[in-house]
Amino acid sequence: AELRTLAYLSQDEFLKNVYINDKDLHDEVAIELYGEDFTKEQRVMAKTINFGLAYGRTAYSIAETFDMSTEEAQALLDRWFEQKPGAAKYIKETRQEPHNGVIPRTVFGRKRRFGAIDKKNAWAIENEAINFPIQSTASDLTLLSAVRLQPLLKGRAMIVNLVHDSIVLDVPKENVAEIAKLTK
């Protein structure tokens, strides 16, 4: 949900097309970075980059995780941003907004305010500034989905929890197929 939200907020053509065409983002990025015959580890790396960039993951962090040089990791990040200019622009601009006094908001209008920014907290605040509209909008969409789903369940299942972009249901065996279809 968060990467779909990034696609919507950034209006990046590559990201939007992946979801419009019902493709797997991590596979598509792995193809861009490594070619059609990417390995399982390369897909994991693509997934890590996809999720990490919007939250301030750096080349150093990726290099440490995947036992590669910082230069190799930076080249992967640079390629990701080059191939997704809309997302790159959105991430760069949104990370800088707190420095300009801009208050991050979700598409539903929820706000995140920050205190004073200094050298010690700037990186963390920039990360929160990009994270907040993406993560909070995805969370709001999950909550909205649960609110809309609840009356349709009519006692055949019960919502027990919301976890990130998932709705956890307690469903009797005889209702699983019907509720799964309804929920999707």
Side-chain angles (χ1 to χ4, degrees), residues 73-137:
Q74 188 60 54
L76 290 173
L77 300 183
D78 292 345
R79 206 162 351 142
W80 191 97
F81 281 120
E82 287 168 10
Q83 295 165 339
K84 293 149 203 70
K89 181 179 182 215
Y90 175 79
I91 290 168
K92 182 179 180 182
E93 289 176 357
T94 304
R95 288 182 65 83
Q96 291 305 306
E97 287 180 349
H99 296 283
N100 301 323
V102 177
I103 298 170
R105 299 172 192 267
T106 70
V107 297
F108 298 100
R110 195 158 28 127
K111 302 174 190 176
R112 170 68 170 95
R113 291 182 170 80
F114 302 106
I117 301 174
D118 59 31
K119 288 181 181 179
K120 291 181 181 177
N121 69 6
W123 182 256
I125 287 176
E126 290 171 9
N127 287 344
E128 285 185 52
I130 186 61
N131 176 278
F132 176 76
I134 295 169
Q135 195 171 55
S136 295
T137 297

Side-chain angles (χ1 to χ4, degrees), residues 129-148:
I130 186 61
N131 176 278
F132 176 76
I134 295 169
Q135 195 171 55
S136 295
T137 297
S139 174
D140 289 347
L141 288 168
T142 302
L143 179 58
L144 180 60
S145 296
V147 167
R148 289 184 175 174

